[in-house]
């Protein structure tokens, strides 16, 4: 447990290193990241999405990148999101889209991020494509949820994420009940203070189970974002006990992780959605995945040396 904690803190520290981020962009995704990232452009990801769809898996794509510092860059990211939606429709891909509000100007102004989100959601509605707002670190959690609430009053095709490692996650789920929320429920992957987040893994897991149960029993669509067999089995048992339709929930897993489990769940008749990131800004995402599970480190190292 001590070594695991050290490993997690180490990779979370690396995820915020700007120098390593610049070097990563120079060398591309060949250092193992190409096994969990769909490419540096959406065009590179399209064949992967088609194969995943062929295998019975649904997809949500995420153009990696966050912490945009200029209005011009945020508008560029907005246009890229619109073009991604158009490409999903053009290629008839079974895919949703996920995005981070910091890539659309959250740290610049609320007016800017709202304008960008309105443009994206209006385009997504033309093609009946759902957009999910990813959750970031705890300092941006409440601003993100306020924007989600405001947008959800006008746009039905919108979801967001709640992280079970935060103490306030249960309150957040309660606050969102009036909005008929589509929630992706996850453990969380950012380095947080013990003042705002559970430190013990067992508490994080227990809280995730509570959130899954609450959102499902309240009748809202729930995406269970976990690779943990205990969480998956808990969800299966819960829906069976309460007669919850398989149309009310789905399992979500990261691209390149637990492939056999994904396939097995599809064969059992469950909806499985693969979170497929792409883009040049893959480094921070890659480091956070290594921090989540020690097994991912061996996975990545193997990928670096595989010919």
């Amino acid at each position: 447990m001590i070594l695991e904690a050290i490993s997690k803190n180490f990779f979370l520290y690396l995820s915020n290193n700007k120098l390593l981020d610049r070097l990563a962009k120079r060398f591309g995704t060949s250092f193992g990241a190409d096994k969990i990232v769909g490419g540096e452009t959406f065009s590179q990801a399209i064949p992967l999405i088609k194969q995943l769809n062929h295998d019975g898996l649904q997809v949500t794509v995420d153009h990696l990148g966050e912490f945009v510092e200029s209005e011009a860059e945020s508008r560029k990211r907005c246009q890229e999101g619109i073009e991604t939606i158009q490409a999903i429709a053009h290629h008839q891909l079974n895919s949703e889209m996920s995005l981070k509000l910091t890539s659309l100007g959250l740290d610049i102004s609320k007016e800017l991020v709202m304008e960008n989100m309105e443009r994206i959601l209006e385009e997504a509605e033309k093609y009946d494509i759902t957009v999910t707002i990813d959750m970031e670190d705890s300092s941006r959690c409440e601003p993100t949820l306020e924007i989600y609430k405001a947008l959800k009053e006008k746009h039905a095709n919108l979801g967001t994420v709640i992280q079970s490692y935060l103490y306030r996650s249960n309150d957040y789920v309660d606050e969102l009940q009036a909005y008929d929320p589509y929630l992706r429920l996850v453990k969380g992957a950012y380095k947080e203070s013990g003042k705002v987040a559970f430190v013990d893994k067992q508490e994080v897991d227990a809280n995730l189970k509570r959130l899954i149960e609450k959102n499902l029993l309240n009748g809202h669509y729930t995406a269970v974002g976990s690779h943990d067999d205990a969480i998956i089995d808990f969800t299966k048992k819960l829906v069976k006990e309460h007669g919850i339709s398989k149309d009310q929930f789905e399992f979500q897993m990261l691209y390149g992780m637990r492939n056999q489990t994904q396939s097995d769940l599809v064969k059992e008749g469950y909806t499985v959605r693969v979170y497929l990131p792409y883009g040049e800004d893959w480094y921070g995402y890659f480091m956070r995945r290594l921090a989540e599970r020690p097994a991912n480190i061996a996975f990545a190292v193997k990928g670096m040396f595989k010919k």
Side-chain angles (χ1 to χ4, degrees), residues 130-249:
T130 296
V131 175
T132 297
I133 299 173
D134 280 344
M135 193 56 70
E136 302 178 67
D137 62 275
S138 61
S139 68
R140 296 176 175 86
C141 191
E142 294 193 15
T144 296
L145 292 180
E146 289 305 309
I147 289 170
Y148 172 76
K149 291 174 186 177
L151 292 168
K152 193 67 165 64
E153 291 181 351
K154 298 172 59 179
H155 303 281
N157 62 325
L158 182 64
T160 193
V161 178
I162 299 294
Q163 302 158 313
S164 71
Y165 68 171
L166 296 178
Y167 297 142
R168 288 213 60 200
S169 58
N170 191 64
D171 293 335
Y172 291 147
V173 172
D174 287 339
E175 292 172 13
L176 293 174
Q177 292 309 310
Y179 296 85
D180 188 21
Y182 166 14
L183 297 181
R184 178 193 301 149
L185 302 176
V186 302
K187 295 179 184 180
Y190 290 85
K191 183 174 176 57
E192 301 285 1
S193 164
K195 295 179 180 179
V196 299
F198 295 108
V199 177
D200 185 77
K201 179 183 182 298
Q202 290 183 332
E203 291 182 296
V204 176
D205 291 354
N207 203 33
L208 180 56
K209 291 177 181 179
R210 286 192 292 268
L211 299 179
I212 292 168
E213 182 172 13
K214 174 174 283 191
N215 206 53
L216 281 172
L217 295 185
N218 281 332
H220 304 304
Y221 195 85
T222 304
V224 179
S226 177
H227 303 116
D228 191 331
D229 287 330
I231 299 297
I232 294 169
D233 291 342
F234 168 82
T235 304
K236 287 181 179 180
K237 182 178 179 181
L238 177 71
V239 298
K240 184 176 181 179
E241 287 179 352
H242 294 274
I244 295 172
S245 170
K246 289 181 179 178
D247 294 334
Q248 194 186 320
F249 71 98

Side-chain angles (χ1 to χ4, degrees), residues 36-292:
I36 61 173
V37 175
E40 296 184 26
T41 66
F42 186 69
S43 295
Q44 292 174 345
I46 289 174
L48 296 176
I49 299 171
K50 288 183 176 180
Q51 184 60 53
L52 290 167
N53 289 167
H54 180 267
D55 294 339
L57 297 158
Q58 300 182 28
V59 174
T60 184
V61 294
D62 174 24
H63 186 186
L64 294 170
E66 48 198 296
F67 312 127
V68 165
E69 297 178 349
S70 72
E71 181 176 328
E73 181 65 18
S74 77
R75 295 191 187 283
K76 179 182 177 182
R77 289 300 179 91
C78 174
Q79 184 58 37
E80 289 169 347
I82 289 171
E83 291 172 1
T84 296
I85 289 167
Q86 293 169 342
I88 290 171
H90 175 74
H91 291 278
Q92 298 181 317
L93 305 175
N94 188 342
S95 178
E96 297 179 354
M97 186 171 78
S98 297
L99 50 78
K100 290 181 173 60
L101 292 186
T102 51
S103 72
L104 297 173
L106 179 65
D107 294 346
I108 301 172
S109 76
K110 182 178 180 180
E111 292 74 21
L112 177 61
V113 73
M114 287 290 289
E115 178 185 336
N116 285 332
M117 279 299 300
E118 287 281 6
R119 290 186 60 207
I120 288 171
L121 290 171
E122 287 171 4
E123 192 68 21
E125 284 176 342
K126 293 180 184 178
Y127 305 106
D128 194 27
I129 293 173
T130 296
V131 175
T132 297
I133 299 173
D134 280 344
M135 193 56 70
E136 302 178 67
D137 62 275
S138 61
S139 68
R140 296 176 175 86
C141 191
E142 294 193 15
T144 296
L145 292 180
E146 289 305 309
I147 289 170
Y148 172 76
K149 291 174 186 177
L151 292 168
K152 193 67 165 64
E153 291 181 351
K154 298 172 59 179
H155 303 281
N157 62 325
L158 182 64
T160 193
V161 178
I162 299 294
Q163 302 158 313
S164 71
Y165 68 171
L166 296 178
Y167 297 142
R168 288 213 60 200
S169 58
N170 191 64
D171 293 335
Y172 291 147
V173 172
D174 287 339
E175 292 172 13
L176 293 174
Q177 292 309 310
Y179 296 85
D180 188 21
Y182 166 14
L183 297 181
R184 178 193 301 149
L185 302 176
V186 302
K187 295 179 184 180
Y190 290 85
K191 183 174 176 57
E192 301 285 1
S193 164
K195 295 179 180 179
V196 299
F198 295 108
V199 177
D200 185 77
K201 179 183 182 298
Q202 290 183 332
E203 291 182 296
V204 176
D205 291 354
N207 203 33
L208 180 56
K209 291 177 181 179
R210 286 192 292 268
L211 299 179
I212 292 168
E213 182 172 13
K214 174 174 283 191
N215 206 53
L216 281 172
L217 295 185
N218 281 332
H220 304 304
Y221 195 85
T222 304
V224 179
S226 177
H227 303 116
D228 191 331
D229 287 330
I231 299 297
I232 294 169
D233 291 342
F234 168 82
T235 304
K236 287 181 179 180
K237 182 178 179 181
L238 177 71
V239 298
K240 184 176 181 179
E241 287 179 352
H242 294 274
I244 295 172
S245 170
K246 289 181 179 178
D247 294 334
Q248 194 186 320
F249 71 98
E250 63 187 50
F251 293 106
Q252 289 195 7
M253 298 186 189
L254 302 174
Y255 172 68
M257 303 285 182
R258 302 297 307 272
N259 293 342
Q260 187 59 53
T261 300
Q262 294 175 18
S263 178
D264 291 344
L265 287 169
V266 168
K267 290 176 183 177
E268 293 172 28
Y270 294 102
T271 299
V272 180
R273 188 174 306 279
V274 175
Y275 186 98
L276 178 67
Y278 70 94
E280 294 181 352
D281 291 325
W282 56 268
Y283 171 77
Y285 171 85
F286 186 43
M287 290 297 109
R288 288 195 291 271
R289 298 294 79 79
L290 296 186
E292 283 179 343

